[in-house]
């Protein structure tokens, strides 16, 4: 019997973005996830996702604020779906 992938696993990332640090919560469509703090660097988050969730479809969301849209533009350049919410 040949196994076929019928659905792409999904990763959802919620971020509380601040100038000095980010609080990140990751969850998939199968488990509730993990929270951690990190430096405010989109590339560092990309490295984490590539290491732990390599074949996942990634969606991010964070609140619009004083830090602007640079993180949003980076996330979209990685091929991730990104929301900036009010």
């Amino acid at each position: 019997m040949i196994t076929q992938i019928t659905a792409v696993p999904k990763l959802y990332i919620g971020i509380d973005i601040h100038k000095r640090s980010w609080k990140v919560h990751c969850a998939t469509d199968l488990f509730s996830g993990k929270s951690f703090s990190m430096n405010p660097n989109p590339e560092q988050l990309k490295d984490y996702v590539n290491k732990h969730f390599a074949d996942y479809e990634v969606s991010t969301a964070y609140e619009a604020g004083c830090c602007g849209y640079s993180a949003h533009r980076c996330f979209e350049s990685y091929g991730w779906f990104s929301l900036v919410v009010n």
Side-chain angles (χ1 to χ4, degrees), residues 30-84:
L30 298 176
F31 74 95
S32 65
K34 173 184 176 182
S35 296
F36 58 92
S37 293
M38 62 175 282
N39 293 326
N41 183 339
E43 192 67 31
Q44 186 178 355
L45 182 58
K46 179 184 176 195
D47 292 342
Y48 176 84
V49 169
N50 288 340
K51 180 178 179 183
H52 298 285
F53 302 98
D55 295 325
Y56 282 67
E57 180 181 289
V58 181
S59 298
T60 65
Y62 70 91
E63 184 179 7
C66 64
C67 296
Y69 294 89
S70 61
H72 168 74
R73 288 188 287 273
C74 286
F75 299 151
E76 289 201 328
S77 75
Y78 304 153
W80 299 355
F81 178 74
S82 180
L83 288 174
V84 181

Side-chain angles (χ1 to χ4, degrees), residues 15-36:
I15 310 166
D16 188 9
I17 290 186
H18 294 283
K19 186 176 183 178
R20 294 180 191 231
S21 70
W22 290 356
K23 292 187 179 173
V24 178
H25 183 80
C26 296
T28 70
D29 45 354
L30 298 176
F31 74 95
S32 65
K34 173 184 176 182
S35 296
F36 58 92

